[in-house]
Amino acid sequence: MQGFMDRLANVLGVFANKINNLRYIMVIKNAFAALIPVIITGAFGTLFSAMVFDSENGLAKIKALRFLENLKPISSSISYVTLSFLTIYVVFLIGIELAKLNKISGVFPGVIAVMSYLSVNPMMFEFLNGDVTVIAENVLAKQYTDTKGLFLGMFISIVSIELYSWLGRQKRLQIKMPDSVPGNVSASFSALFPTILTVTTIATAGFAIKSLTGMYLYDIIYNVVQRPLEGIVQGLPGILLLMFIAQIFWVIGIHGNQMVKPIREPLLLAAIAVNTEAIEAGKEAPNIITMPFWDMYMSMGGSGVTIGLLIAIMIVGKREDMRQITKLSLAPGIFNINEPVIFGMPIMLNPILAIPFIITPLVTGTIGYFATSLGFAAKAVVMVPWPMPPIVNAYLATAGDIGAVLTQVVCIVVAILIYLPFVVVMNRTTSEIA
């Protein structure tokens, strides 16, 4: 068994290294990692809007605190400038990150990426005012800046920066300035022709596609790529498959979350942003599966819901080495950091503990999904930091829903019950065998 696990680890390890070293995977991961504070800021704007400034459900419903309702525009503006412009921020950051890989420093490539993305989207918006169709010109509709434009934004950002970088290496396009000219001015002139050609090429391609198909690039990418992927991940089988893949990589010693991050982050972060915007607008949140859903029901105490393992060891564990590791791992585990458990227990390459480690988040995720779909638990509407302890994160992510808290408690109990028999089996082994 150990020999098979070693061979599997070698094969998947080579595959994982190749995936992680793909340049576009790297820049997407880095861009979304940098955006976490933006998303959380917007989410807490919504949290305050719903729990403090709202006159029907928040503190403002108390007569003595009714003045808080007048402060709601503050939280609304925070949500708007963060979540409603998420695609623009993603495009900008991907442009900078990809340019770094192409040995181009500075933030100007981010500007190139944003200009290129905006150039392929319509600058007019049609809407009905009663029975009359009104056309607003020189405006950018919200769907091109919020999460609906993410995949087109990532694509245009990558294409534009690769083109800009290639053009910048062409000697014939570089304008040489005298040595007396300051370096920043000289660099600006060197970027002149690559900038003009890049934006013009992208804008022309967007125009040609619209002329040939009758659809903007946004419509094509969103309907053909982004919406189907969102549909897959919003279904229970899709999110369970994503978690299963992550857990398999963890078991062989590879950071599973990092492996699925390029797929998970754009879709699940977009889903929570949509929920947050819906609540801010007074509508019902549409998405069950979001980034907080993953953290609340499928990653309590860290990947594998190992808070269940730690408690199970405290209840029936007899091996001194496992109990010592549990004592050391309990504090970080409360904050969803469980590398000490995965690599110290170990769970990695351990066929006994690997089974519940893979199974548990699939079971708890299923419980959380059905509890939410049946209306017992509220949908997550606030993006909370992933180190937020269990119970607290469920309460905050759902803007104070007790049903979500109770569901999370049930998931933790179920996790303990799943891990218990495997801990009993581990009691009969020696630390050398484990």
Side-chain angles (χ1 to χ4, degrees):
M1 183 68 177
Q2 189 65 39
F4 170 76
M5 293 294 290
D6 289 338
R7 288 194 297 272
L8 179 63
N10 289 333
V11 172
L12 292 181
V14 172
F15 173 74
N17 286 331
K18 288 183 178 179
I19 294 296
N20 271 325
N21 289 328
L22 290 175
R23 54 195 286 112
Y24 304 137
I25 296 296
M26 292 170 59
V27 299
I28 290 172
K29 288 196 298 186
N30 291 342
F32 275 95
L35 273 175
I36 293 297
V38 175
I39 297 171
I40 292 176
T41 299
F44 271 93
T46 299
L47 182 66
F48 272 84
S49 182
M51 299 185 68
V52 178
F53 302 140
D54 190 85
S55 59
E56 294 183 5
N57 302 306
L59 291 177
K61 70 180 180 181
I62 301 173
K63 188 174 181 180
L65 300 176
R66 188 61 56 86
F67 71 93
L68 291 172
E69 184 180 12
N70 299 324
L71 303 179
K72 193 169 185 177
I74 298 174
S75 60
S76 297
S77 64
I78 292 172
S79 295
Y80 181 73
V81 300
T82 51
L83 303 178
S84 294
F85 288 89
L86 200 61
T87 291
I88 301 299
Y89 303 144
V90 168
V91 170
F92 182 76
L93 291 174
I94 287 179
I96 293 175
E97 292 292 333
L98 184 54
K100 288 179 184 177
L101 293 183
N102 291 337
K103 311 299 182 184
I104 301 175
S105 59
V107 299
F108 185 67
V111 177
I112 294 288
V114 172
M115 288 193 298
S116 299
Y117 172 68
L118 294 178
S119 73
V120 300
N121 289 311
M123 296 301 170
M124 61 177 61
F125 180 68
E126 294 185 7
F127 63 94
L128 287 175
N129 184 8
D131 295 330
V132 180
T133 300
V134 179
I135 299 178
E137 297 182 339
N138 299 319
V139 297
L140 191 65
K142 188 178 180 181
Q143 65 260 34
Y144 306 121
T145 62
D146 65 13
T147 56
K148 295 184 185 68
L150 271 177
F151 276 77
L152 174 61
M154 291 189 291
F155 174 74
I156 294 296
S157 183
I158 288 171
V159 172
S160 62
I161 296 306
E162 291 288 30
L163 177 59
Y164 174 76
S165 301
W166 181 80
L167 291 170
R169 293 192 294 268
Q170 308 308 307
K171 299 293 185 182
R172 292 172 297 177
L173 299 177
Q174 295 178 0
I175 300 176
K176 299 295 184 181
M177 303 295 291
D179 294 338
S180 58
V181 176
N184 59 335
V185 176
S186 179
S188 296
F189 275 94
S190 295
L192 179 59
F193 284 126
T195 299
I196 294 172
L197 291 174
T198 297
V199 178
T200 302
T201 300
I202 298 296
T204 303
F207 174 80
I209 290 172
K210 174 63 168 63
S211 299
L212 292 172
T213 66
M215 294 187 295
Y216 287 98
L217 261 175
Y218 165 84
D219 300 311
I220 297 173
I221 296 296
Y222 182 71
N223 291 317
V224 175
V225 180
Q226 186 168 340
R227 180 177 286 178
L229 284 175
E230 288 174 346
I232 292 172
V233 174
Q234 279 303 311
L236 182 60
I239 197 66
L240 293 184
L241 176 61
L242 203 60
M243 175 58 77
F244 177 78
I245 293 171
Q247 297 306 94
I248 291 293
F249 277 109
W250 272 118
V251 166
I252 65 170
I254 298 170
H255 200 297
N257 286 342
Q258 291 298 323
M259 292 306 301
V260 301
K261 199 172 186 179
I263 299 173
R264 185 189 69 178
E265 302 291 85
L267 297 172
L268 297 191
L269 289 177
I272 186 61
V274 168
N275 280 7
T276 302
E277 287 185 325
I279 292 298
E280 181 65 32
K283 302 176 182 177
E284 182 181 353
N287 298 315
I288 292 177
I289 297 175
T290 59
M291 199 64 243
F293 178 93
W294 179 288
D295 296 332
M296 287 161 50
Y297 300 126
M298 305 177 79
S299 194
M300 293 162 289
S303 295
V305 197
T306 48
I307 191 170
L309 172 61
L310 297 179
I311 297 174
I313 292 173
M314 293 170 63
I315 296 173
V316 300
K318 295 181 179 179
R319 277 179 40 176
E320 187 58 30
D321 60 322
M322 291 178 64
R323 294 187 68 86
Q324 288 298 324
I325 292 171
T326 297
K327 292 178 183 178
L328 294 173
S329 303
L330 195 57
I334 291 174
F335 297 95
N336 306 314
I337 300 169
N338 68 339
E339 279 81 358
V341 181
I342 294 175
F343 300 111
M345 195 68 67
I347 294 173
M348 180 189 70
L349 299 179
N350 182 336
I352 298 175
L353 290 181
I355 295 172
F357 181 78
I358 294 172
I359 291 175
T360 302
L362 306 183
V363 174
T364 57
T366 301
I367 293 171
Y369 181 86
F370 282 108
T372 307
S373 62
L374 293 173
F376 178 77
K379 296 171 184 174
V381 295
V382 176
M383 178 66 191
V384 296
W386 65 265
M388 190 72 68
I391 309 303
V392 178
N393 67 355
Y395 184 79
L396 291 178
T398 56
D401 183 67
I402 300 302
V405 173
L406 294 176
T407 301
Q408 194 178 59
V409 170
V410 170
C411 288
I412 293 174
V413 172
V414 169
I416 297 169
L417 295 175
I418 293 174
Y419 275 109
L420 275 174
F422 293 92
V423 173
V424 172
V425 173
M426 288 293 294
N427 288 337
R428 300 170 186 167
T429 68
T430 63
S431 59
E432 287 78 13
I433 292 176

